[in-house]
Amino acid sequence: MAQALEKRDAQSRYVIFGAGQNGYALTKFLGESFFRCFIDNDSQKWGGRIGHLPICSIHGFFAQAFVHECIVVLTFESGRDEEKLKQKGVKYLSLKDFLVSEDIILYRDESLLVRYRYDTWLKKRCFAEAAFDLFRQEYRNEFQRLLVQKMRDGEREDVDALLRAEGEQYALDCPVDENGMYFDEYFSYRFDMRLIHRLLEQSEGRSVCDLACGHGELLSVLKERHHVVGVDLAPERVTMCKAHGIEAYQRDAADTGLPDEMFDVVISEENLEHVMDPLAVMSEAWRILKPGGIFYVSVPLGTDCDCQEHVRFFSVNMLFSMLQACCFEVENIITIPYVNENLYENNIFAGAIKREL
């Protein structure tokens, strides 16, 4: 075991504490080359491996010559194990602190860009479904059941009233920060925003429209190289966009009133799970896109990232099918994490090219 530990690449400075589900997920999403070994308290696992990474006891790890060159990533909370690491002067991070560290975020961003460009494994396994239910069948509470019912019935005024009341309560329970935003609205926190930025950063002068643009976090970055337009239903968000020099309109994403074939790129992030008719939003994106233009979409994967206002669940195949039904040719579709601190890939990201009717 000692020889196996010593033979690991010296650049593998991280060690995973916990040879369980989270530990395995770290090697799956980041790659084994990032790590030197596993530590685990279960003696039955000692001497075993996960992939090519050996599993040792904490005392076996302390006996290694490289112990003070490593940073231990704790995949579970354990004050006792933290104390042992402190006593030996070993650096360690919680799983969350590891995931939000600058080098890990950069690595994951670059990996997602490469996957989108070259890994079509998921796309090749998708097929167009003839029919799909646009609304969820399971509900978190009575509010959600009623919201879905009103949306199914097309009762827009009742839907607006429900969401307004819910929004007021949410603002009391979870107040915004000094900028009037929630943490997951920031460009620096979101993988989907940064992936779109990377996909577009090699070009210049393209026309871009963000449907349900929020406070304009992504558009504020894109406007340095492109002409950008934002659409959102919330007047305060449109006002903030305009304050940042973004052309923005208070309109419905399914009925923007913008000219036909105006944009090279249309974006819809974390929006289709909220709206009455996602196919109408996709059709509107198709209408305002130029021929050959691209539509970037992100939605939660299944029940992950579920919340009160989500009226549907998306599978990879469902999103693929909806894009196909709205005359888009899917360029690629992958799973990605939602925010920096998410270990698991709980979102779907797709790029789809407008094709002629």
Side-chain angles (χ1 to χ4, degrees), residues 3-274:
Q3 288 180 337
L5 292 172
E6 289 292 352
K7 286 180 180 179
R8 290 299 300 167
D9 188 342
Q11 297 301 312
S12 308
R13 66 192 184 108
Y14 292 106
V15 170
I16 302 172
F17 203 139
Q21 181 175 324
N22 286 344
Y24 168 73
L26 281 172
T27 66
K28 177 183 176 183
F29 295 127
L30 293 175
E32 291 184 11
S33 62
F34 237 87
F35 305 100
R36 186 173 288 246
C37 66
F38 282 93
I39 303 170
D40 201 274
N41 291 325
D42 184 351
S43 60
Q44 294 189 19
K45 295 181 181 180
W46 299 345
R49 291 177 179 273
I50 294 181
H52 294 95
L53 298 180
I55 305 171
C56 65
S57 68
I58 191 169
H59 298 293
F61 170 66
F62 288 153
Q64 302 305 312
F66 58 77
V67 61
H68 293 294
E69 301 169 7
C70 294
I71 299 174
V72 174
V73 181
L74 291 163
T75 62
F76 57 93
E77 294 185 9
S78 171
R80 181 179 178 183
D81 290 318
E82 286 185 39
E83 188 59 35
K84 290 178 181 177
L85 294 169
K86 284 180 185 178
Q87 290 175 357
K88 292 292 184 177
V90 177
K91 297 177 183 177
Y92 65 90
L93 292 170
S94 68
L95 180 58
K96 178 181 177 180
D97 287 342
F98 172 74
L99 292 171
V100 301
S101 59
E102 187 175 344
D103 58 336
I104 299 304
I105 292 171
L106 178 60
Y107 179 85
R108 296 180 90 187
D109 278 348
E110 292 175 346
S111 297
L112 290 175
L113 179 63
V114 169
R115 277 180 50 205
Y116 180 83
R117 284 180 170 164
Y118 303 110
D119 185 358
T120 58
W121 186 90
L122 200 56
K123 174 190 168 184
K124 289 177 179 177
R125 281 149 184 82
C126 291
F127 58 91
E129 298 175 353
F132 34 80
D133 196 332
L134 291 181
F135 293 98
R136 63 192 295 162
Q137 302 294 325
E138 305 84 28
Y139 313 109
R140 295 160 62 95
N141 49 38
E142 180 61 19
F143 165 83
Q144 196 171 64
R145 187 198 65 78
L146 188 58
L147 178 64
V148 169
Q149 177 186 321
K150 296 296 184 182
M151 283 202 175
R152 278 187 182 276
D153 296 340
E155 298 177 14
R156 187 171 294 276
E157 289 185 5
D158 289 348
V159 167
D160 290 344
L162 278 170
L163 290 174
R164 188 161 50 248
E166 174 63 19
E168 290 171 357
Q169 183 59 50
Y170 189 80
L172 294 173
D173 296 338
C174 304
V176 295
D177 65 13
E178 63 275 11
N179 297 317
M181 295 170 61
Y182 295 106
F183 83 97
D184 62 347
E185 295 182 279
Y186 285 97
F187 178 86
S188 60
Y189 275 75
R190 290 269 294 277
F191 284 101
D192 56 349
M193 291 189 190
R194 298 196 301 270
L195 179 53
I196 292 171
H197 174 239
R198 283 172 172 263
L199 287 166
L200 296 178
E201 67 181 348
Q202 298 303 317
S203 59
E204 195 168 354
R206 303 178 79 179
S207 52
V208 181
C209 180
D210 190 350
L211 302 176
C213 63
H215 298 88
E217 272 287 292
L218 176 57
L219 294 182
S220 293
V221 177
L222 295 180
K223 74 183 180 71
E224 296 176 6
R225 301 179 67 89
H226 306 284
H227 172 65
V228 302
V229 175
V231 173
D232 202 281
L233 275 175
E236 67 276 9
R237 292 180 174 182
V238 171
T239 298
M240 185 176 288
C241 286
K242 291 180 176 179
H244 293 155
I246 297 167
E247 181 182 344
Y249 301 94
Q250 185 188 348
R251 297 176 185 173
D252 194 316
D255 184 17
T256 65
L258 296 168
D260 293 353
E261 300 184 356
M262 183 177 181
F263 298 98
D264 299 299
V265 181
V266 174
I267 298 163
S268 175
E269 301 171 297
E270 311 307 305
N271 176 44
L272 297 180
E273 65 274 19
H274 294 273

